[in-house]
Amino acid sequence: MADTAAPHRSRYSFDDVDRAILRVLGREPRAALSDVGERVGVHERTVARRLDRMTTTGLVRFTAALVPEYLGEGITAELAIGCAPGHLGSLAAALARRPDIRSVEVATGEPQVFAEIQAQDQGGLLAAVDEGIGVIDGVRGVHTSVVLDLFLTANDWAPHDPEPTPVRRAVSEGHPLPSPPVLDALDRTLVALLERDARMPLTRLARELSVGETTARRRLARLMASHALHLRLLAEPAVLGYPVEARFRLAVRPGAVGEAVRSLAREPSVRHLVRTTGRDNILGYTSHASMARLRAFEPDALAGLPGLLSAETSLLLHTYKRAGATARM
């Protein structure tokens, strides 16, 4: 298929030391490189050199963003887009260029292109789908499912960690997430600065905000403790040893949705989990170390799922956009 956004192929080979560095920074993205080096057992200059090489590939990057679903801002929708033969690459690339699209993948099954979009309101979503996406060359149809509840994101996916994140633990145990903090203009300016440089030193953050370091530190700690801010090191799953990615769509009996979500949250391979409108009301993504692990996911994780009426899984063939940025694999 024609691909106008061909993936970047890095010659840099990630080894065990690289992955150890990524695991530490995955838990603590703003950790000092000296602390990372001490935990990994290498000099901080080695950490700095390796991290620079890894981020240069585009397969590793630091991100910071507020999560609108948790803040109750706007509408998030999952799009399943049917595509005419010969248009997969160009259609996916066109979607990836849209600033309101947060993720784009090409997958097996029908339809073949999936995307996540953020709109301000119902009118904005209608205009984006009908006047923007619907008229792209090659589009045969668009199925829209609005996200009603966000349970897990890639921020909560860490299959190499022995302990789940607080959000994952809460979802798996059926506990509600704490109310998000009320954000003011200073908070949002701080987040904007972190979006530019997630590891910006505290002294510079304070200077940019025109506040004291104590205030900047307190604001940053409050935001980072909140599930409404995702500040993390984002590494492509393949880099971490999980090259096989899949998407699943489930129809679950309404009265059993809560129990099904709790069960899925206990599956380490599940890295994204939402409840949506429509008959197929649970959508998720998984990452696996091999095709054998993916084959085992359906009988192991889905077969006995409470209230399951139907299940459909798709193998991701290529990711064009992830977490709002162009994917490089």
Side-chain angles (χ1 to χ4, degrees):
M1 65 181 157
D3 184 350
T4 58
H8 172 77
R9 299 292 183 182
S10 168
R11 294 182 178 180
Y12 183 76
S13 179
F14 291 75
D15 60 21
D16 290 341
V17 174
D18 293 325
R19 294 188 180 96
I21 291 171
L22 294 179
R23 283 195 292 271
V24 174
L25 288 170
R27 291 189 295 269
E28 301 176 45
R30 289 179 57 84
L33 297 187
S34 57
D35 291 340
V36 177
E38 184 175 346
R39 298 187 207 182
V40 174
V42 298
H43 196 278
E44 67 176 287
R45 287 197 297 270
T46 300
V47 176
R49 182 174 64 252
R50 284 176 175 257
L51 186 59
D52 181 65
R53 291 168 66 189
M54 286 188 283
T55 54
T56 298
T57 67
L59 305 179
V60 172
R61 64 185 185 275
F62 291 94
T63 66
L66 294 171
V67 184
E69 295 94 325
Y70 289 146
L71 292 171
E73 298 178 348
I75 294 178
T76 301
E78 303 287 346
L79 307 179
I81 305 168
C83 181
H87 292 268
L88 278 176
S90 59
L91 171 56
L95 290 169
R97 287 193 292 268
R98 290 181 60 99
D100 56 351
I101 296 284
R102 298 196 305 203
S103 65
V104 181
E105 308 102 15
V106 169
T108 59
E110 183 73 36
Q112 309 99 320
V113 182
F114 300 101
E116 183 181 78
I117 188 170
Q118 180 70 26
Q120 185 173 356
D121 52 28
Q122 293 96 318
L125 179 59
L126 175 61
V129 172
D130 187 45
E131 301 170 16
I133 296 169
V135 298
I136 297 176
D137 193 28
V139 171
R140 283 188 165 178
V142 182
H143 181 273
T144 306
S145 299
V146 173
V147 173
L148 300 175
D149 293 297
L150 173 62
F151 300 111
L152 297 177
T153 72
N155 212 53
D156 305 300
W157 178 74
H160 43 269
D161 283 354
E163 292 294 326
T165 65
V167 169
R168 194 177 198 101
R169 181 183 297 280
V171 173
S172 66
E173 295 177 355
H175 301 314
L177 297 179
S179 299
V182 177
L183 305 182
D184 60 18
L186 185 62
D187 291 322
R188 293 183 183 275
T189 301
L190 174 56
V191 172
L193 292 171
L194 294 172
E195 288 175 353
R196 284 166 35 197
D197 180 2
R199 287 178 54 84
M200 184 180 293
L202 188 66
T203 52
R204 185 179 168 195
L205 282 172
R207 186 170 64 250
E208 294 279 353
L209 293 170
S210 300
V211 299
E213 285 190 31
T214 300
T215 298
R217 182 181 294 106
R218 185 174 64 250
R219 292 280 185 142
L220 178 59
R222 172 174 167 268
L223 286 170
M224 290 190 66
S226 166
H227 60 288
L229 171 67
H230 282 181
L231 192 160
R232 64 191 177 106
L233 179 138
L234 177 64
E236 292 292 324
V239 166
L240 299 174
Y242 299 86
V244 179
E245 298 183 75
R247 181 184 195 269
F248 62 86
R249 186 97 196 179
L250 313 177
V252 174
R253 182 169 46 80
V257 168
E259 191 176 353
V261 166
R262 291 193 292 274
S263 179
L264 289 166
R266 291 192 287 270
E267 292 292 331
S269 63
V270 175
R271 76 164 197 271
H272 187 84
L273 187 63
V274 297
R275 180 172 74 95
T276 70
T277 57
R279 178 180 178 275
D280 295 336
N281 50 359
I282 294 182
L283 168 68
Y285 286 82
T286 60
S287 294
H288 307 269
S290 65
M291 286 296 296
R293 296 290 180 87
L294 172 59
R295 284 194 295 271
F297 175 74
E298 187 161 332
D300 291 350
L302 301 184
L305 203 65
L308 182 65
L309 301 174
S310 66
E312 180 182 355
T313 58
S314 301
L315 176 68
L316 300 194
L317 301 176
H318 182 54
T319 297
Y320 285 75
K321 195 172 188 179
R322 195 194 301 274
T326 302
R328 304 300 295 272
M329 289 195 84

